[in-house]
Coordinates of all heavy atoms in Angstrom, one line a residue:
M1 N -6.9 -64.2 2.4 CA -5.9 -65.1 2.0 C -4.5 -64.5 2.2 O -4.3 -63.3 1.7 CB -6.1 -65.5 0.5 CG -5.1 -66.5 0.0 SD -5.5 -66.8 -1.8 CE -4.1 -67.9 -2.1
E2 N -3.6 -65.2 2.7 CA -2.2 -64.7 2.9 C -1.4 -64.7 1.6 O -1.6 -65.6 0.8 CB -1.5 -65.5 3.9 CG -1.6 -65.0 5.3 CD -0.8 -65.9 6.3 OE1 0.4 -66.2 6.0 OE2 -1.4 -66.2 7.4
C3 N -0.6 -63.8 1.4 CA 0.3 -63.8 0.3 C 1.2 -65.0 0.3 O 1.8 -65.4 1.3 CB 1.2 -62.5 0.2 SG 2.2 -62.5 -1.2
Q4 N 1.3 -65.7 -0.8 CA 2.1 -66.9 -1.0 C 3.5 -66.6 -1.5 O 4.2 -67.4 -2.2 CB 1.4 -67.9 -1.9 CG 0.0 -68.2 -1.5 CD -0.1 -69.0 -0.2 OE1 0.6 -70.1 -0.1 NE2 -0.8 -68.5 0.8
K5 N 4.1 -65.4 -1.2 CA 5.3 -65.0 -1.7 C 6.5 -66.0 -1.6 O 7.2 -66.3 -2.5 CB 5.8 -63.7 -1.1 CG 7.1 -63.1 -1.7 CD 7.4 -61.8 -1.1 CE 8.7 -61.3 -1.7 NZ 9.1 -60.0 -1.1
E6 N 6.7 -66.5 -0.4 CA 7.8 -67.4 -0.1 C 7.6 -68.7 -1.0 O 8.6 -69.2 -1.6 CB 7.9 -67.8 1.3 CG 8.3 -66.6 2.2 CD 9.5 -65.8 1.7 OE1 10.5 -66.5 1.4 OE2 9.5 -64.6 1.6
K7 N 6.4 -69.2 -1.1 CA 6.1 -70.4 -1.9 C 6.4 -70.1 -3.3 O 7.0 -70.9 -4.1 CB 4.7 -70.9 -1.6 CG 4.3 -72.1 -2.4 CD 2.9 -72.4 -2.1 CE 2.4 -73.6 -3.0 NZ 0.9 -73.7 -2.9
N8 N 5.9 -68.9 -3.8 CA 6.0 -68.5 -5.2 C 7.5 -68.4 -5.6 O 7.8 -68.7 -6.7 CB 5.3 -67.2 -5.4 CG 3.8 -67.3 -5.3 OD1 3.2 -68.4 -5.4 ND2 3.1 -66.2 -5.1
L9 N 8.3 -67.8 -4.7 CA 9.7 -67.6 -5.0 C 10.4 -68.9 -5.3 O 11.4 -68.9 -6.1 CB 10.4 -66.9 -3.8 CG 10.1 -65.4 -3.7 CD1 10.7 -64.8 -2.4 CD2 10.7 -64.7 -4.9
K10 N 10.0 -70.0 -4.8 CA 10.6 -71.3 -5.0 C 10.4 -71.7 -6.5 O 11.2 -72.5 -7.0 CB 10.1 -72.3 -4.1 CG 10.5 -72.1 -2.7 CD 9.9 -73.2 -1.7 CE 10.2 -72.9 -0.3 NZ 9.4 -73.5 0.7
N11 N 9.4 -71.2 -7.1 CA 9.1 -71.6 -8.5 C 9.3 -70.4 -9.5 O 9.1 -70.6 -10.7 CB 7.6 -72.1 -8.6 CG 7.4 -73.3 -7.8 OD1 8.2 -74.2 -7.8 ND2 6.3 -73.3 -7.1
C12 N 9.7 -69.3 -9.0 CA 9.9 -68.1 -9.9 C 11.2 -68.2 -10.7 O 12.2 -68.3 -10.1 CB 9.8 -66.8 -9.1 SG 10.0 -65.4 -10.1
P13 N 11.1 -68.2 -12.0 CA 12.3 -68.3 -12.9 C 12.9 -66.9 -13.2 O 13.9 -66.9 -13.9 CB 11.7 -69.0 -14.1 CG 10.3 -68.4 -14.2 CD 9.8 -68.2 -12.8
C14 N 12.3 -65.9 -12.7 CA 12.8 -64.5 -13.1 C 14.2 -64.3 -12.5 O 14.5 -64.5 -11.4 CB 11.8 -63.5 -12.6 SG 12.3 -61.8 -13.1
T15 N 15.1 -63.8 -13.4 CA 16.5 -63.5 -13.0 C 16.7 -62.0 -12.8 O 17.9 -61.7 -12.6 CB 17.5 -64.1 -14.1 OG1 17.2 -63.5 -15.3 CG2 17.4 -65.6 -14.2
S16 N 15.7 -61.2 -12.9 CA 15.9 -59.8 -12.7 C 16.3 -59.6 -11.2 O 15.7 -60.0 -10.3 CB 14.6 -59.1 -12.9 OG 14.7 -57.7 -12.7
P17 N 17.5 -59.0 -11.0 CA 18.1 -59.0 -9.7 C 17.4 -58.2 -8.6 O 17.5 -58.5 -7.4 CB 19.5 -58.5 -9.9 CG 19.4 -57.7 -11.2 CD 18.3 -58.3 -12.0
S18 N 16.7 -57.1 -8.9 CA 16.2 -56.3 -7.9 C 14.8 -55.9 -8.0 O 14.3 -54.9 -7.5 CB 17.1 -55.0 -7.8 OG 17.0 -54.3 -9.1
C19 N 14.0 -56.7 -8.6 CA 12.6 -56.4 -8.8 C 11.8 -56.6 -7.5 O 11.9 -57.7 -6.9 CB 11.9 -57.3 -9.9 SG 10.2 -57.0 -10.0
P20 N 11.1 -55.6 -7.0 CA 10.3 -55.7 -5.8 C 9.1 -56.5 -5.9 O 8.5 -56.9 -4.9 CB 10.0 -54.2 -5.5 CG 9.9 -53.6 -6.8 CD 11.0 -54.3 -7.7
R21 N 8.7 -56.9 -7.1 CA 7.5 -57.7 -7.3 C 7.8 -59.2 -7.3 O 6.9 -60.0 -7.4 CB 6.8 -57.3 -8.6 CG 6.2 -55.9 -8.5 CD 5.7 -55.4 -9.9 NE 6.9 -55.1 -10.7 CZ 7.5 -53.9 -10.7 NH1 7.0 -52.9 -10.0 NH2 8.5 -53.7 -11.5
K22 N 9.0 -59.6 -7.3 CA 9.4 -61.0 -7.4 C 8.7 -61.8 -6.3 O 8.8 -61.5 -5.1 CB 10.9 -61.2 -7.3 CG 11.4 -62.5 -8.0 CD 12.9 -62.6 -8.0 CE 13.5 -61.6 -8.9 NZ 15.0 -61.9 -9.0
G23 N 8.0 -62.8 -6.7 CA 7.2 -63.7 -5.8 C 5.9 -63.2 -5.5 O 5.1 -63.9 -4.9
I24 N 5.6 -62.0 -5.8 CA 4.2 -61.4 -5.6 C 3.5 -61.4 -7.0 O 3.5 -60.4 -7.7 CB 4.3 -60.0 -5.0 CG1 5.2 -60.0 -3.8 CG2 2.9 -59.5 -4.6 CD1 5.5 -58.6 -3.2
C25 N 3.0 -62.6 -7.3 CA 2.6 -62.8 -8.7 C 1.5 -61.9 -9.2 O 1.4 -61.5 -10.3 CB 2.1 -64.3 -8.9 SG 3.4 -65.5 -8.5
C26 N 0.6 -61.5 -8.3 CA -0.5 -60.6 -8.7 C 0.1 -59.2 -9.1 O -0.4 -58.7 -10.1 CB -1.5 -60.4 -7.6 SG -0.8 -59.9 -6.0
Q27 N 1.1 -58.7 -8.4 CA 1.7 -57.5 -8.8 C 2.6 -57.7 -10.1 O 2.6 -56.8 -10.9 CB 2.6 -57.0 -7.7 CG 1.8 -56.5 -6.5 CD 2.7 -55.9 -5.4 OE1 3.9 -55.7 -5.6 NE2 2.2 -55.7 -4.2
C28 N 3.2 -58.8 -10.2 CA 4.0 -59.1 -11.4 C 3.2 -59.1 -12.6 O 3.5 -58.4 -13.6 CB 4.7 -60.4 -11.2 SG 5.7 -61.0 -12.5
I29 N 2.1 -59.8 -12.6 CA 1.2 -59.9 -13.8 C 0.6 -58.5 -14.1 O 0.6 -58.1 -15.2 CB 0.1 -60.9 -13.5 CG1 0.7 -62.3 -13.5 CG2 -1.0 -60.8 -14.5 CD1 -0.3 -63.4 -13.0
D30 N 0.2 -57.8 -13.0 CA -0.4 -56.5 -13.2 C 0.6 -55.5 -13.9 O 0.3 -54.8 -14.9 CB -0.9 -55.9 -11.9 CG -1.7 -54.7 -12.0 OD1 -2.7 -54.7 -12.8 OD2 -1.5 -53.7 -11.3
H31 N 1.8 -55.6 -13.4 CA 2.9 -54.7 -13.9 C 3.1 -55.0 -15.4 O 3.2 -54.1 -16.2 CB 4.2 -55.0 -13.1 CG 5.4 -54.3 -13.7 ND1 5.7 -53.0 -13.5 CD2 6.4 -54.8 -14.4 CE1 6.8 -52.7 -14.1 NE2 7.3 -53.8 -14.6
H32 N 3.3 -56.2 -15.8 CA 3.5 -56.6 -17.2 C 2.3 -56.4 -18.1 O 2.4 -56.0 -19.2 CB 4.2 -58.0 -17.3 CG 5.6 -57.9 -16.8 ND1 6.6 -57.3 -17.5 CD2 6.2 -58.4 -15.7 CE1 7.7 -57.4 -16.9 NE2 7.5 -58.1 -15.8
R33 N 1.2 -56.7 -17.6 CA 0.0 -56.6 -18.4 C -0.3 -55.1 -18.8 O -0.7 -54.8 -19.9 CB -1.3 -57.1 -17.6 CG -2.5 -57.3 -18.5 CD -3.6 -58.1 -17.9 NE -4.1 -57.4 -16.7 CZ -5.1 -57.9 -16.0 NH1 -5.6 -59.0 -16.3 NH2 -5.5 -57.2 -14.9
E34 N 0.0 -54.2 -17.9 CA -0.1 -52.8 -18.2 C 0.8 -52.4 -19.3 O 0.5 -51.4 -20.0 CB 0.2 -51.9 -17.0 CG -0.9 -51.8 -15.9 CD -0.5 -51.0 -14.7 OE1 0.5 -50.3 -14.8 OE2 -1.3 -50.9 -13.8
K35 N 1.9 -53.1 -19.5 CA 2.8 -52.8 -20.6 C 2.6 -53.7 -21.8 O 3.4 -53.8 -22.7 CB 4.2 -53.0 -20.1 CG 4.6 -52.0 -19.0 CD 6.0 -52.4 -18.6 CE 6.5 -51.3 -17.6 NZ 8.0 -51.6 -17.3
D36 N 1.4 -54.5 -21.8 CA 1.2 -55.5 -22.9 C 2.3 -56.5 -22.9 O 2.8 -56.9 -24.0 CB 1.0 -54.8 -24.3 CG -0.3 -54.0 -24.4 OD1 -1.3 -54.5 -23.7 OD2 -0.4 -53.0 -25.1
Q37 N 2.7 -56.9 -21.8 CA 3.8 -57.9 -21.7 C 3.3 -59.2 -20.9 O 2.2 -59.2 -20.4 CB 5.0 -57.3 -21.0 CG 5.6 -56.2 -21.7 CD 6.8 -55.5 -20.9 OE1 6.9 -55.7 -19.7 NE2 7.6 -54.8 -21.6
L38 N 4.2 -60.1 -20.8 CA 3.9 -61.3 -20.0 C 5.1 -61.4 -19.0 O 6.2 -61.0 -19.2 CB 3.9 -62.6 -20.9 CG 2.8 -62.6 -21.9 CD1 3.1 -63.7 -23.0 CD2 1.5 -63.0 -21.2
P39 N 4.8 -62.1 -17.8 CA 5.8 -62.2 -16.8 C 6.8 -63.3 -17.2 O 6.7 -64.1 -18.1 CB 5.0 -62.7 -15.6 CG 3.7 -63.2 -16.1 CD 3.4 -62.5 -17.4
A40 N 7.9 -63.3 -16.5 CA 9.1 -64.1 -16.8 C 8.7 -65.6 -16.9 O 9.3 -66.3 -17.7 CB 10.1 -64.0 -15.6
C41 N 7.8 -66.1 -16.1 CA 7.5 -67.5 -16.1 C 6.8 -68.0 -17.4 O 6.6 -69.2 -17.6 CB 6.6 -67.9 -14.9 SG 5.2 -66.9 -14.7
Y42 N 6.6 -67.1 -18.4 CA 6.0 -67.6 -19.7 C 7.1 -67.9 -20.7 O 6.8 -68.4 -21.7 CB 5.1 -66.5 -20.3 CG 3.7 -66.5 -19.7 CD1 3.4 -66.1 -18.4 CD2 2.7 -67.1 -20.5 CE1 2.1 -66.2 -17.9 CE2 1.4 -67.2 -20.0 CZ 1.1 -66.7 -18.7 OH -0.2 -66.8 -18.2
F43 N 8.4 -67.5 -20.3 CA 9.4 -67.6 -21.3 C 10.4 -68.8 -21.0 O 10.5 -69.2 -19.9 CB 10.2 -66.3 -21.3 CG 9.4 -65.1 -21.8 CD1 8.7 -64.4 -20.9 CD2 9.3 -64.8 -23.1 CE1 7.9 -63.3 -21.3 CE2 8.5 -63.7 -23.5 CZ 7.8 -63.0 -22.6
S44 N 11.1 -69.2 -22.1 CA 12.1 -70.2 -21.9 C 13.2 -69.6 -21.0 O 13.4 -68.3 -20.9 CB 12.7 -70.7 -23.2 OG 13.4 -69.6 -23.8
A45 N 14.1 -70.4 -20.4 CA 15.1 -69.9 -19.5 C 16.1 -69.0 -20.3 O 16.5 -67.9 -19.8 CB 15.9 -71.0 -18.9
E46 N 16.3 -69.3 -21.5 CA 17.3 -68.5 -22.4 C 16.7 -67.2 -22.7 O 17.3 -66.1 -22.6 CB 17.5 -69.3 -23.7 CG 18.6 -68.7 -24.5 CD 18.9 -69.6 -25.7 OE1 19.1 -70.8 -25.5 OE2 18.9 -69.1 -26.8
T47 N 15.4 -67.2 -23.1 CA 14.8 -65.9 -23.5 C 14.5 -65.0 -22.2 O 14.6 -63.8 -22.3 CB 13.5 -66.2 -24.2 OG1 13.7 -66.9 -25.4 CG2 12.8 -64.9 -24.6
E48 N 14.2 -65.7 -21.1 CA 13.9 -64.9 -19.9 C 15.1 -64.0 -19.6 O 14.9 -62.9 -19.1 CB 13.6 -65.9 -18.8 CG 13.1 -65.2 -17.5 CD 14.2 -64.6 -16.7 OE1 15.4 -65.1 -16.6 OE2 14.0 -63.5 -16.2
K49 N 16.3 -64.5 -19.8 CA 17.5 -63.7 -19.4 C 17.7 -62.4 -20.3 O 18.5 -61.6 -19.9 CB 18.8 -64.6 -19.6 CG 18.8 -65.7 -18.6 CD 20.1 -66.6 -18.8 CE 20.0 -67.9 -18.1 NZ 20.7 -68.9 -18.7
T50 N 16.9 -62.3 -21.4 CA 17.0 -61.1 -22.2 C 16.2 -60.0 -21.6 O 16.3 -58.8 -22.0 CB 16.5 -61.3 -23.6 OG1 15.1 -61.6 -23.6 CG2 17.3 -62.5 -24.3
Y51 N 15.3 -60.3 -20.6 CA 14.4 -59.4 -20.0 C 13.4 -58.8 -21.0 O 12.7 -57.8 -20.7 CB 15.1 -58.2 -19.3 CG 16.0 -58.8 -18.2 CD1 17.3 -58.2 -18.0 CD2 15.6 -59.8 -17.3 CE1 18.1 -58.7 -17.0 CE2 16.4 -60.3 -16.3 CZ 17.7 -59.7 -16.1 OH 18.5 -60.2 -15.2
D52 N 13.3 -59.3 -22.2 CA 12.3 -58.9 -23.2 C 11.0 -59.7 -22.9 O 11.0 -60.9 -23.1 CB 12.8 -59.2 -24.6 CG 11.8 -58.7 -25.7 OD1 10.7 -58.3 -25.3 OD2 12.2 -58.7 -26.9
R53 N 10.1 -59.0 -22.3 CA 8.8 -59.7 -21.9 C 7.7 -59.4 -22.8 O 6.5 -59.6 -22.5 CB 8.4 -59.2 -20.5 CG 9.5 -59.2 -19.4 CD 9.7 -60.6 -18.9 NE 10.5 -60.6 -17.7 CZ 11.7 -61.2 -17.5 NH1 12.2 -61.9 -18.5 NH2 12.3 -61.2 -16.4
S54 N 8.0 -59.0 -24.1 CA 7.0 -58.6 -25.0 C 6.2 -59.9 -25.5 O 6.8 -61.0 -25.5 CB 7.6 -57.9 -26.2 OG 8.4 -58.8 -27.0
I55 N 5.0 -59.6 -26.0 CA 4.2 -60.7 -26.5 C 4.9 -61.2 -27.8 O 4.9 -62.4 -28.1 CB 2.7 -60.3 -26.7 CG1 2.1 -60.0 -25.4 CG2 1.9 -61.3 -27.5 CD1 0.7 -59.4 -25.4
K56 N 5.4 -60.3 -28.6 CA 6.1 -60.7 -29.8 C 7.2 -61.7 -29.5 O 7.4 -62.7 -30.2 CB 6.7 -59.4 -30.5 CG 7.4 -59.7 -31.8 CD 7.9 -58.4 -32.4 CE 8.6 -58.7 -33.7 NZ 9.2 -57.5 -34.3
R57 N 8.0 -61.4 -28.5 CA 9.1 -62.3 -28.1 C 8.6 -63.6 -27.6 O 9.2 -64.7 -27.8 CB 10.0 -61.6 -27.0 CG 11.3 -62.3 -26.8 CD 12.2 -62.3 -28.0 NE 13.4 -63.1 -27.9 CZ 14.6 -62.6 -27.6 NH1 14.7 -61.3 -27.4 NH2 15.6 -63.4 -27.4
F58 N 7.5 -63.6 -26.9 CA 6.9 -64.8 -26.4 C 6.5 -65.7 -27.6 O 6.8 -66.9 -27.6 CB 5.6 -64.5 -25.6 CG 4.8 -65.7 -25.3 CD1 5.2 -66.6 -24.3 CD2 3.6 -66.0 -26.0 CE1 4.4 -67.8 -24.0 CE2 2.8 -67.1 -25.7 CZ 3.2 -68.0 -24.7
I59 N 5.9 -65.1 -28.6 CA 5.5 -65.9 -29.8 C 6.7 -66.5 -30.5 O 6.8 -67.7 -30.9 CB 4.7 -65.1 -30.8 CG1 3.3 -64.7 -30.1 CG2 4.4 -65.8 -32.1 CD1 2.5 -63.7 -30.8
Q60 N 7.8 -65.7 -30.6 CA 9.0 -66.2 -31.2 C 9.6 -67.3 -30.4 O 10.2 -68.2 -30.9 CB 10.1 -65.0 -31.3 CG 9.7 -64.0 -32.3 CD 10.6 -62.7 -32.2 OE1 11.3 -62.5 -31.2 NE2 10.6 -61.9 -33.3
D61 N 9.5 -67.2 -29.1 CA 10.0 -68.2 -28.2 C 9.3 -69.6 -28.4 O 9.9 -70.6 -28.0 CB 9.8 -67.7 -26.8 CG 10.8 -68.3 -25.8 OD1 11.9 -68.7 -26.2 OD2 10.5 -68.3 -24.6
Q62 N 8.1 -69.6 -29.0 CA 7.4 -70.8 -29.1 C 7.8 -71.5 -30.4 O 7.5 -72.7 -30.6 CB 5.9 -70.6 -29.2 CG 5.3 -69.8 -28.1 CD 5.7 -70.3 -26.7 OE1 5.4 -71.5 -26.4 NE2 6.3 -69.5 -25.9
E63 N 8.5 -70.8 -31.3 CA 8.8 -71.4 -32.7 C 10.0 -72.3 -32.6 O 10.8 -72.3 -31.7 CB 9.1 -70.3 -33.6 CG 7.8 -69.4 -33.9 CD 8.1 -68.2 -34.7 OE1 9.3 -67.8 -34.9 OE2 7.1 -67.5 -35.0
Ligands
SF4_1 S1 8.7 -60.9 -14.4 FE1 9.0 -58.7 -14.2 S2 7.6 -58.0 -12.5 FE2 7.8 -60.3 -12.4 S3 9.5 -60.6 -10.9 FE3 10.4 -60.6 -13.0 S4 11.0 -58.4 -13.4 FE4 9.6 -58.5 -11.6

């Protein structure tokens, strides 16, 4: 299966300017999971901009 990076980038809400994993969702998830975090697409647009990808922040974002 070919990487769907270009397609993924069209839907990626991450505003991190220089991340090499942007659009490569498998690497993005792996990177954040290793840190007990979630990727940008789990957060509201406002919270995403804080770059806090913690599970705690995700839960707060749902309230
Ligand atoms: S969520 Fe994290 S790993 Fe994924 S593209 Fe944004 S900064 Fe990179």
Side-chain angles (χ1 to χ4, degrees):
M1 181 181 178
E2 269 182 46
C3 182
Q4 305 291 306
K5 181 176 179 180
E6 295 309 313
K7 182 181 171 192
N8 293 341
L9 281 173
K10 290 177 186 162
N11 298 316
C12 179
C14 184
T15 58
S16 181
S18 57
C19 178
R21 290 170 288 273
K22 204 178 288 190
I24 310 173
C25 301
C26 52
Q27 291 182 8
C28 176
I29 290 170
D30 193 47
H31 172 77
H32 285 292
R33 193 168 64 179
E34 280 181 7
K35 297 177 171 185
D36 289 329
Q37 296 176 341
L38 293 164
C41 52
Y42 276 76
F43 297 88
S44 66
E46 188 176 309
T47 301
E48 189 283 322
K49 290 178 195 153
T50 69
Y51 301 138
D52 182 350
R53 311 283 193 238
S54 67
I55 292 171
K56 182 178 177 184
R57 191 63 185 264
F58 169 75
I59 293 168
Q60 288 172 342
D61 206 22
Q62 308 308 303
E63 294 171 350

